[in-house]
Amino acid sequence: MRLYNSETRNIEEFKTVKPNEVSMYTCGPTVYHFAHIGNLRTYIMEDVLEKALKYVGYNVKRVMNITDVGHLASDGDTGEDKMLAGAVRENKSVMEIAAQYTDAFKQDCQKLNIAWPKVVIPATSCIDEYIKIISELLDKGFAYKSNGNIYFDSSKLDNYFRFGNQKQNKMVVGAREDVEEDKGKKHQNDFVLWFTKSKFENHALKWDSPWGVGYPGWHIECSGISYKYLGEYLDIHCGGVDNKFPHHTNEIAQTEAFVGHKWCGHWFHSEHLNTTTGKMSKSKGGFLTLSKLEEMGYSPMVYRLFCLQSHYRKQLVFSEEGLDSAKSAYEKLIKRISNLKPEGKEVDMSIFENFKNKFKSALEKDLNTSLALTQVFDVLKSEVNEDTKIALIKDFDKVLGLNLELAWEQETKQTSVDAEFEKYILELIEKRKTAKLNKDFKTADEIRNELSSKGVELIDTKEGTTFKIKD
Ligand code: AMP
Ligand code: ZN
């Protein structure tokens, strides 16, 4: 598997510490609002990555956090906690907000066939872990106490910035107008590990610590959870590109200072979904959710296909035209697949392996999902028997997750509904015939009206009564 590594800025062979085992960490949602379809793009691509790694033969252990404390309004250490803002907005407690939006996120994942990781940990459940790490960072001289808060001392590292090209200085606290300068810091890039003194005395989530009652900074949660559940070496860490700085940069700083060696071998960042006017973001409001898309007539599978059609490292601009074309592509695909009928023949193993290798090799080329999708069409076009085509499509869908194997069920369901409806119409036509023979014209008219209200028009001919479905 060759994958782009944001740290080295190269496409490289993906290597793991243990053979065939992948430890994978994905930054989870901040549950103060619904996930928007941009967030969901990132989770879809991470899901495909996990499934692709399994497809090529790895065991994957994936851990994800749920941010229910500490993510402040700015990406630095200032502004209100997003969870508190959500609680105030909806007049609920922080924990109610967290439960409500974690649940909503889970439902979105289900609809989009995003596998729920085996280990999903709310940030508030690992406070002891953060305290342990922060204490050690203080002991080792990587952290200091100032103004009541505990800060990470970025000057202790030679290579604090890891993801190169980003315009770091724009994001550095104090260098951007909307990010306030924190007088407690020794250096611009230092960041808070633990708050005891903040201007938000009303912070609802507080815990005892050796430094006083307070709450953790945002970045420490991912270091703590990853360390606790995946150990001191991590194979791959994922997130959206906005997480590169400061979040992932700070995660690396504190984790490597704590474990004393290089921590994560590979960084996978998914590009953003943008609107025509810029990045889709929860804080800007007016964002699109999956439910909204459904109301607009786009099924979750259509959105999944829309995402898979483009590469995860390319920005994707959301437009209704784009979704319309994904919708028509999806419908055509399902129709073509449902037309495949098993012929009772053996799967042609040499053709099966040949297609499978092409599909695998598309995934191994830096997760080229659009190239992988073309294999589905190539299979449909090919001359091989239908049983082999069906087997291949089912196999590919383990990674694509587009409910392709349901195409047959959807089609059968459709025809069985139609057959039932037809049976019902024919029964009523028979009843009407009997009523007319008995000169019960009232019942005969009632039957005609009942069918008419269901969109069925009766046509009386010399040979008997037929029907047509009204336009
Ligand atoms: P959040 O809930 O804000 O913590 O973000 C959850 C995930 O969505 C993170 O991995 C972000 O990097 C990612 N993300 C945020 N905005 C977008 C966007 N417009 N497009 C794609 N991913 C995004
Ligand atoms: Zn994170």
Side-chain angles (χ1 to χ4, degrees), residues 25-28 65 67 218-219 221-222 237-238 243 247-248 251:
Y25 187 86
T26 48
C27 287
N65 64 303
T67 300
W218 171 33
H219 319 296
E221 71 178 80
C222 290
H237 193 310
C238 311
N243 281 166
H247 186 48
H248 291 165
E251 273 187 50

Side-chain angles (χ1 to χ4, degrees), residues 34-37 40 108 111 280 286-300 303 318 320 323:
F34 291 109
H36 59 61
I37 57 171
L40 294 171
D108 285 348
K111 287 183 185 172
M280 186 170 288
F287 55 81
L288 275 172
T289 58
L290 190 66
S291 315
K292 181 78 191 147
L293 279 196
E294 288 180 286
E295 278 168 32
M296 290 159 73
Y298 303 110
S299 72
Y303 185 61
F318 171 83
E320 283 192 44
L323 267 198

